[in-house]
């Protein structure tokens, strides 16, 4: 066996230990987020009956906004989801202080995601994992190749623990972070991700991230319906990416104190939540709409536009927080709008709306992140969907990816990394 393909005991042990630590820390990150979410949602419910409770709710959000600004000021590398920073680190373009990133991303993520802003936990979980991998690599004085495997594997392990989706974590490392695969990569990162998933499941239990009711339908979306859905979602993905890049530019040119920039999304989101509490959080509740309530096109359109605006405002301000879960929720709303429109026109059965909702989530991921394989596996794992979904989902996802290519919609994390590098090397006056 050639030297380059030899597996060594030390990296295998480091991979196992790194994954276990990542699983523990991300699991408790999720538990802490749940507790903060529960506290603020309880206060939000009381705000509808008591004016002073509403003021207290807004006051708490503003305090969390100031604290998020403090964390960002203390460690600038925790900005946004953290995935572009991990990608830049693996490419040798960025350097990070692992323990500072770990501490401030953990605390800053609790403040932003826990407060009910339209942000997801996956980006922070990925960067938290990567910082653990970097710390293990440095403390063990591993060589560059093993260090990269530990960082990438722990990043995937963070995603796996965040969503209870180990296969998605592995595909994410290969398709999005490293853009390559080999035997050692599969083994080392696979062990890291598997140990993280097992540890997180032991702490949190074995539940899917997006529970959907078991529903039986003899109908499945046909070829034309899948193709049209993929095209529609591709345009939503273009709107999403262009919105992020445009508002990022506006925020970067806005000469305002950092604490004002970080407090703004908390204040705006808080006012919207007092008006409509169903806007709380990353949007998981919106994915359940086809199973729980009667749908109307005006309400679905309203939810899509408001959640998009709240996401853009929160994410582009630079505070810690991811876009995975919100983009999935927005994709689900596009699928619901599409399915309901077809049903009202008599072009499809209303039974297909849940299918369009779930498939559109994977499509939205494919259009925005430009990683269709990861998107499909992610949704299958997050929802527990069965294999009959796979072919319609595959057709729609690859349609969304191809249309996005023709529209010139670049992968969002690559675009965000370019912005980070431009700001890093921007000449100062």
């Amino acid at each position: 066996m050639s030297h380059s393909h030899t597996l060594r005991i030390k990296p295998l042990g480091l991979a196992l230990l790194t994954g276990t630590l990542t699983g523990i820390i991300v699991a408790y990150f999720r538990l802490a987020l749940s507790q903060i979410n529960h506290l603020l949602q309880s206060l939000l419910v009381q705000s509808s009956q008591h004016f002073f409770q509403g003021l207290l709710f807004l006051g708490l959000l503003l305090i969390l906004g100031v604290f998020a600004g403090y964390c960002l000021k203390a460690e600038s590398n925790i900005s946004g989801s953290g995935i572009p920073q991990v990608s830049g680190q693996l490419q040798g373009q960025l350097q990070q202080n692992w323990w500072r990133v770990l501490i401030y991303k953990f605390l800053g993520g609790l403040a932003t995601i826990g407060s009910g802003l339209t942000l997801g936990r996956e980006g922070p979980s990925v960067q938290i994992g990567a910082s653990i991998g970097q710390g293990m690599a440095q403390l063990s004085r591993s060589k560059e190749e093993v260090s990269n495997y530990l960082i990438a594997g722990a990043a995937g392990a963070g995603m796996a623990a965040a969503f209870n989706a180990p296969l998605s974590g592995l595909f994410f490392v290969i398709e999005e972070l490293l853009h390559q695969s080999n035997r050692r990569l599969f083994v080392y990162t696979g062990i890291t991700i598997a140990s993280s998933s097992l540890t997180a499941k032991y702490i949190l239990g074995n539940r899917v991230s997006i529970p959907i009711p078991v529903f039986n339908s003899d109908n499945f979306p046909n070829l034309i319906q899948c193709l049209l859905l993929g095209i529609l979602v591709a345009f939503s993905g273009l709107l999403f990416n262009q919105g992020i890049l445009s508002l990022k530019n506006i925020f970067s040119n806005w000469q305002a104190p950092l604490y004002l920039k970080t407090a703004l999304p908390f204040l705006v989101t808080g006012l919207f939540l007092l008006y409509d509490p169903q806007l709380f959080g990353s949007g998981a509740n919106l994915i359940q709409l086809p199973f729980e309530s009667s749908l109307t096109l005006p309400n679905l359109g309203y939810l899509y536009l408001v959640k998009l605006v709240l996401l853009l405002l929160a994410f582009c301000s630079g505070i810690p927080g991811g876009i995975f879960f919100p983009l999935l929720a927005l994709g689900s709303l596009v699928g619901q709008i599409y399915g309901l429109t077809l049903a009202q026109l008599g072009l499809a059965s209303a039974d297909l709306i849940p299918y369009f909702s779930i498939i559109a989530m994977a499509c939205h991921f494919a259009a925005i992140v430009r990683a269709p394989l990861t998107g499909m596996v992610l949704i299958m794992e997050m929802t527990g969907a069965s294999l009959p979904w796979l072919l319609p989902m595959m057709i729609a996802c690859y349609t969304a990816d191809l249309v996005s290519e023709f529209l010139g919609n670049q992968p969002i994390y690559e675009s965000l990394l370019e912005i980070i590098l431009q700001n890093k090397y921007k000449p100062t006056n």
Side-chain angles (χ1 to χ4, degrees):
M1 185 179 293
S2 68
H3 178 73
S4 62
H5 290 88
T6 302
L7 297 174
R8 295 183 177 86
I9 296 297
K10 181 182 175 181
L12 290 172
L14 287 172
L16 182 64
L17 181 57
T18 300
T20 303
L21 287 173
T22 301
I24 292 171
I25 292 174
V26 173
Y28 281 102
F29 180 66
R30 287 179 59 180
L31 287 173
L33 284 176
S34 178
Q35 292 298 316
I36 299 172
N37 275 169
H38 180 72
L39 172 66
L40 284 169
Q41 279 186 298
S42 299
L43 193 58
L44 180 59
V45 170
Q46 297 171 25
S47 300
S48 60
Q49 283 87 32
H50 305 284
F51 176 74
F52 288 106
Q53 298 282 35
L55 289 179
L56 178 60
F57 176 76
L58 282 178
L60 276 176
L61 287 190
L62 288 175
I63 291 171
L64 289 171
V66 172
F67 179 72
Y70 164 77
C71 292
L72 184 59
K73 187 176 180 64
E75 179 50 69
S76 61
N77 282 318
I78 67 167
S79 173
S81 72
I83 293 175
Q85 290 92 318
V86 175
S87 179
Q89 185 180 11
L90 289 169
Q91 295 172 30
Q93 298 173 302
L94 292 174
Q95 297 295 324
Q96 301 189 79
N97 182 313
W98 68 269
W99 64 267
R100 291 179 62 84
V101 169
L102 174 59
I103 292 170
Y104 287 110
K105 192 71 168 194
F106 190 99
L107 296 175
L110 291 181
T112 56
I113 306 161
S115 65
L117 269 63
T118 305
L119 292 168
R121 64 178 180 258
E122 74 301 315
S125 300
V126 167
Q127 193 175 24
I128 286 170
S131 66
I132 295 169
Q134 181 186 351
M136 289 297 295
Q138 290 183 3
L139 293 173
S140 63
R141 299 184 178 180
S142 298
K143 294 182 179 179
E144 182 180 359
E145 182 189 32
V146 173
S147 295
N148 284 342
Y149 289 159
L150 288 174
I151 294 170
M159 179 175 170
F163 287 145
N164 190 12
L167 279 178
S168 305
L170 183 58
F171 282 116
F172 176 73
V173 169
I174 295 169
E175 193 175 26
E176 178 61 28
L177 290 181
L178 294 179
H179 306 288
Q180 59 169 309
S181 64
N182 59 56
R183 180 169 175 266
R184 295 172 76 174
L185 169 65
F186 264 109
V187 174
Y188 293 143
T189 60
I191 288 175
T192 308
I193 291 167
S195 57
S196 172
S197 294
L198 288 170
T199 305
K201 283 183 181 181
Y202 179 78
I203 297 170
L204 300 170
N206 189 20
R207 294 170 298 189
V208 294
S209 296
I210 306 176
I212 59 172
V214 176
F215 61 98
N216 297 313
S217 173
D218 294 331
N219 295 324
F220 282 94
N222 61 40
L223 175 62
I224 300 300
Q225 291 168 341
C226 291
L227 291 172
L228 291 176
L229 177 60
I231 294 170
L232 176 64
V233 174
F235 280 95
S236 176
L238 180 65
L239 174 65
F240 185 98
N241 283 8
Q242 291 302 313
I244 282 181
L245 298 178
S246 298
L247 199 56
K248 271 279 187 188
N249 185 53
I250 291 173
F251 264 97
S252 66
N253 292 323
W254 182 25
Q255 301 299 317
L258 177 64
Y259 291 108
L260 178 59
K261 290 184 179 181
T262 59
L264 180 63
F266 286 83
L267 176 61
V268 173
T269 300
L271 293 172
F272 269 99
L273 292 179
L274 290 173
Y275 168 73
D276 187 356
Q278 73 174 326
L279 297 170
F280 189 95
S282 58
N285 57 312
L286 305 180
I287 298 169
Q288 307 292 339
L289 290 178
F291 306 100
E292 297 177 349
S293 60
S294 57
L295 305 176
T296 66
L297 289 174
N299 187 50
L300 291 173
Y302 148 78
L303 289 171
Y304 175 86
L305 290 174
V306 173
K307 288 301 280 184
L308 178 61
V309 169
L310 292 179
L311 167 66
L312 295 179
L313 183 61
F315 185 77
C316 296
S317 69
I319 56 179
I323 58 174
F324 266 32
F325 219 120
L327 76 83
L328 298 180
L330 289 169
S332 173
L333 290 171
V334 174
Q336 293 174 46
I337 292 169
Y338 174 75
L340 184 58
T341 302
L342 291 185
Q344 292 184 351
L345 293 174
L347 299 174
S349 167
D351 293 341
L352 291 179
I353 295 176
Y355 284 104
F356 292 132
S357 170
I358 303 302
I359 291 171
M361 287 197 290
C363 289
H364 218 217
F365 187 94
I368 292 167
V369 183
R370 304 299 306 282
L373 187 58
T374 303
M376 287 187 286
V377 175
L378 180 66
I379 298 307
M380 300 290 279
E381 286 190 295
M382 288 181 70
T383 62
S386 56
L387 285 176
W389 295 69
L390 193 54
L391 183 58
M393 189 179 288
M394 184 175 181
I395 293 168
C397 279
Y398 277 96
T399 300
D401 187 54
L402 288 171
V403 173
S404 298
E405 182 73 27
F406 287 121
L407 291 173
N409 192 17
Q410 298 300 312
I412 187 62
Y413 293 123
E414 291 184 12
S415 300
L416 291 172
L417 177 58
E418 288 179 11
I419 293 174
I420 292 171
L421 294 175
Q422 287 171 5
N423 290 336
K424 178 183 178 183
Y425 297 112
K426 185 184 294 183
T428 56
N429 295 326

